[in-house]
Amino acid sequence: QVQLVESGGGLVQPGGSLRLSCAASGSTFRLYTMGWYRQAPGKQRERVATITTGITNYADAVKGRFTISRDNAKNTVTLQMNSLKPADTGVYYCNARDPGTNYWGQGTQVTVSS
């Protein structure tokens, strides 16, 4: 029912910025809770940020630095990442869910290094 495609990852220096985008297909995009998750080398996948129609939530590690937004008319979700740290390095995944449904994108690599 829903396919998710991430883009925008890459290599940046500490303190730099990246903007990740997620394009979704499907006829009920506006009804889903959207989110970004990440998995660092040797660690479990963790929630970064989620957004409903009007509410956002962020992991403590990214509060004040990352911003999640959505454009229901374009079926897209964006993660603006500022003041990046080496600890932000990992594969970032787009997620869409509602009761009984959970979809994942293929992931995009983010590397923060000098």
Side-chain angles (χ1 to χ4, degrees):
Q1 185 176 5
V2 175
Q3 290 79 46
L4 306 172
V5 180
E6 303 99 330
S7 62
L11 173 65
V12 296
Q13 296 182 349
S17 298
L18 280 176
R19 179 161 45 243
L20 306 182
S21 295
C22 174
S25 64
S27 61
T28 58
F29 175 82
R30 68 185 185 279
L31 303 179
Y32 287 87
T33 296
M34 304 298 299
W36 287 95
Y37 294 70
R38 69 187 182 189
Q39 187 167 19
K43 294 186 176 181
Q44 300 295 310
R45 186 178 298 188
E46 63 180 350
R47 179 178 57 82
V48 176
T50 58
I51 183 169
T52 65
T53 300
I55 300 174
T56 58
N57 282 281
Y58 298 92
D60 288 342
V62 307
K63 286 181 179 177
R65 300 188 297 118
F66 291 12
T67 302
I68 187 172
S69 60
R70 67 192 295 168
D71 187 335
N72 290 338
K74 298 180 179 179
N75 284 7
T76 58
V77 179
T78 298
L79 185 68
Q80 177 67 45
M81 305 186 295
N82 298 326
S83 302
L84 284 161
K85 306 174 181 179
D88 296 318
T89 293
V91 179
Y92 284 68
Y93 298 90
C94 184
N95 173 260
R97 71 178 188 273
D98 65 10
T101 308
N102 199 14
Y103 300 95
W104 295 94
Q106 81 288 346
T108 185
Q109 176 70 43
V110 172
T111 302
V112 185
S113 176
S114 299

